[in-house]
Short mmCIF file of all heavy atoms in Angstrom, two decimals:
data_model
loop_
_atom_site.label_atom_id
_atom_site.label_comp_id
_atom_site.label_asym_id
_atom_site.label_seq_id
_atom_site.Cartn_x
_atom_site.Cartn_y
_atom_site.Cartn_z
N GLY U 35 -71.82 -255.68 8.57
CA GLY U 35 -72.84 -254.85 8.21
C GLY U 35 -73.34 -253.87 9.37
O GLY U 35 -74.06 -252.93 8.83
N LEU U 36 -72.94 -254.10 10.49
CA LEU U 36 -73.33 -253.03 11.54
C LEU U 36 -72.60 -251.73 11.44
O LEU U 36 -72.97 -250.70 12.01
CB LEU U 36 -73.11 -253.67 12.95
CG LEU U 36 -73.86 -255.04 13.27
CD1 LEU U 36 -73.51 -255.43 14.77
CD2 LEU U 36 -75.29 -254.92 12.97
N GLN U 37 -71.48 -251.77 10.70
CA GLN U 37 -70.68 -250.57 10.79
C GLN U 37 -71.41 -249.36 9.80
O GLN U 37 -71.89 -249.78 8.73
CB GLN U 37 -69.29 -250.86 10.21
CG GLN U 37 -68.37 -249.54 10.34
CD GLN U 37 -67.01 -249.86 9.78
OE1 GLN U 37 -66.74 -249.86 8.55
NE2 GLN U 37 -66.14 -250.08 10.71
N ILE U 38 -71.18 -248.21 10.29
CA ILE U 38 -71.73 -247.06 9.34
C ILE U 38 -70.76 -247.06 8.22
O ILE U 38 -69.69 -247.48 8.12
CB ILE U 38 -71.91 -245.74 10.09
CG1 ILE U 38 -70.46 -245.41 10.64
CG2 ILE U 38 -72.77 -245.79 11.24
CD1 ILE U 38 -70.26 -243.93 11.15
N GLN U 42 -70.49 -241.77 6.15
CA GLN U 42 -71.35 -241.28 7.31
C GLN U 42 -70.44 -240.99 8.38
O GLN U 42 -70.75 -240.24 9.29
CB GLN U 42 -72.25 -242.50 7.66
CG GLN U 42 -73.27 -242.22 8.74
CD GLN U 42 -74.27 -243.27 8.90
OE1 GLN U 42 -74.29 -244.25 8.29
NE2 GLN U 42 -75.25 -243.17 9.79
N GLY U 62 -74.07 -248.02 21.26
CA GLY U 62 -73.72 -248.95 20.09
C GLY U 62 -72.37 -248.66 19.46
O GLY U 62 -72.36 -247.83 18.54
N PHE U 132 -75.62 -240.12 19.73
CA PHE U 132 -75.88 -241.01 18.43
C PHE U 132 -76.26 -242.42 18.89
O PHE U 132 -75.44 -243.10 19.64
CB PHE U 132 -74.38 -241.12 17.61
CG PHE U 132 -74.43 -241.96 16.51
CD1 PHE U 132 -75.48 -241.79 15.52
CD2 PHE U 132 -73.47 -242.89 16.21
CE1 PHE U 132 -75.48 -242.66 14.42
CE2 PHE U 132 -73.40 -243.77 15.08
CZ PHE U 132 -74.49 -243.65 14.21
N ILE U 133 -77.34 -242.83 18.46
CA ILE U 133 -77.88 -244.18 18.82
C ILE U 133 -77.73 -244.97 17.60
O ILE U 133 -78.20 -244.73 16.49
CB ILE U 133 -79.38 -243.96 19.15
CG1 ILE U 133 -79.60 -243.13 20.34
CG2 ILE U 133 -80.02 -245.47 19.46
CD1 ILE U 133 -81.10 -242.80 20.66
N ASP U 134 -77.09 -246.14 17.87
CA ASP U 134 -76.76 -247.15 16.72
C ASP U 134 -76.70 -248.58 17.27
O ASP U 134 -75.55 -249.19 17.00
CB ASP U 134 -75.50 -246.66 15.91
CG ASP U 134 -75.37 -247.49 14.65
OD1 ASP U 134 -76.29 -248.20 14.32
OD2 ASP U 134 -74.26 -247.35 14.17
N ALA U 135 -77.62 -248.95 18.06
CA ALA U 135 -77.42 -250.13 18.83
C ALA U 135 -78.67 -251.14 18.32
O ALA U 135 -79.27 -250.98 17.37
CB ALA U 135 -77.33 -249.99 20.23
N LYS U 137 -82.04 -252.67 17.73
CA LYS U 137 -83.30 -251.85 17.30
C LYS U 137 -84.34 -251.97 18.21
O LYS U 137 -85.02 -250.98 18.60
CB LYS U 137 -83.66 -252.13 15.89
CG LYS U 137 -82.49 -252.07 14.89
CD LYS U 137 -81.63 -250.87 14.89
CE LYS U 137 -80.28 -251.00 14.24
NZ LYS U 137 -79.28 -249.96 14.64
N TYR U 140 -84.57 -249.18 20.71
CA TYR U 140 -84.51 -247.69 20.41
C TYR U 140 -85.48 -246.87 21.25
O TYR U 140 -85.17 -245.80 21.59
CB TYR U 140 -84.80 -247.58 18.92
CG TYR U 140 -83.48 -247.62 18.02
CD1 TYR U 140 -82.39 -248.37 18.29
CD2 TYR U 140 -83.49 -246.62 16.97
CE1 TYR U 140 -81.27 -248.36 17.54
CE2 TYR U 140 -82.25 -246.63 16.14
CZ TYR U 140 -81.17 -247.47 16.31
OH TYR U 140 -80.10 -247.42 15.61
N ALA U 159 -79.79 -240.90 15.17
CA ALA U 159 -80.01 -242.24 15.34
C ALA U 159 -80.03 -242.92 14.04
O ALA U 159 -80.54 -242.50 13.08
CB ALA U 159 -81.38 -242.59 15.96
N ASP U 160 -79.21 -244.06 13.99
CA ASP U 160 -78.94 -244.65 12.66
C ASP U 160 -80.00 -245.72 12.38
O ASP U 160 -80.68 -246.21 13.28
CB ASP U 160 -77.60 -245.51 12.76
CG ASP U 160 -77.01 -245.98 11.32
OD1 ASP U 160 -77.28 -245.24 10.43
OD2 ASP U 160 -76.50 -247.05 11.38
N ASN U 161 -80.18 -245.97 11.11
CA ASN U 161 -81.07 -247.15 10.61
C ASN U 161 -82.52 -246.84 10.84
O ASN U 161 -83.34 -247.83 10.95
CB ASN U 161 -80.68 -248.53 11.32
CG ASN U 161 -79.24 -248.74 11.12
OD1 ASN U 161 -78.61 -248.69 12.19
ND2 ASN U 161 -78.71 -248.98 9.97
N VAL U 162 -83.01 -245.62 10.92
CA VAL U 162 -84.43 -245.39 11.17
C VAL U 162 -85.27 -245.58 10.04
O VAL U 162 -86.50 -245.36 10.12
CB VAL U 162 -84.67 -243.94 11.94
CG1 VAL U 162 -83.90 -243.99 13.23
CG2 VAL U 162 -84.10 -242.85 11.00
N ARG U 164 -84.61 -248.53 8.16
CA ARG U 164 -84.48 -250.15 8.13
C ARG U 164 -84.38 -250.56 6.69
O ARG U 164 -85.20 -251.51 6.37
CB ARG U 164 -85.64 -250.71 8.85
CG ARG U 164 -85.57 -250.72 10.30
CD ARG U 164 -84.46 -251.42 10.93
NE ARG U 164 -84.36 -252.89 11.04
CZ ARG U 164 -83.40 -253.59 11.43
NH1 ARG U 164 -82.19 -252.87 11.67
NH2 ARG U 164 -83.29 -254.85 11.32
N HIS U 165 -83.71 -249.95 5.86
CA HIS U 165 -83.61 -250.41 4.46
C HIS U 165 -84.98 -250.42 3.71
O HIS U 165 -85.23 -251.35 3.07
CB HIS U 165 -83.01 -251.84 4.31
CG HIS U 165 -81.63 -251.92 5.04
ND1 HIS U 165 -80.49 -251.30 4.59
CD2 HIS U 165 -81.35 -252.45 6.26
CE1 HIS U 165 -79.60 -251.41 5.51
NE2 HIS U 165 -80.05 -252.22 6.49
N ASP U 201 -79.03 -245.07 5.96
CA ASP U 201 -80.09 -246.06 6.21
C ASP U 201 -81.18 -245.23 6.88
O ASP U 201 -82.03 -245.80 7.66
CB ASP U 201 -79.73 -247.22 6.92
CG ASP U 201 -80.81 -248.28 6.98
OD1 ASP U 201 -81.67 -248.20 6.20
OD2 ASP U 201 -80.86 -249.06 8.00
N GLY U 202 -81.20 -243.86 6.73
CA GLY U 202 -82.18 -243.00 7.47
C GLY U 202 -81.59 -242.61 8.79
O GLY U 202 -81.08 -243.46 9.62
MG1 MG W 2 -76.51 -248.90 12.34
#
Side-chain angles (χ1 to χ4, degrees):
L36 298 187
Q37 188 182 76
I38 58 166
Q42 190 174 356
F132 178 50
I133 301 173
D134 187 17
K137 309 312 167 200
Y140 267 39
D160 194 37
N161 310 111
V162 296
R164 282 302 282 170
H165 310 288
D201 187 25

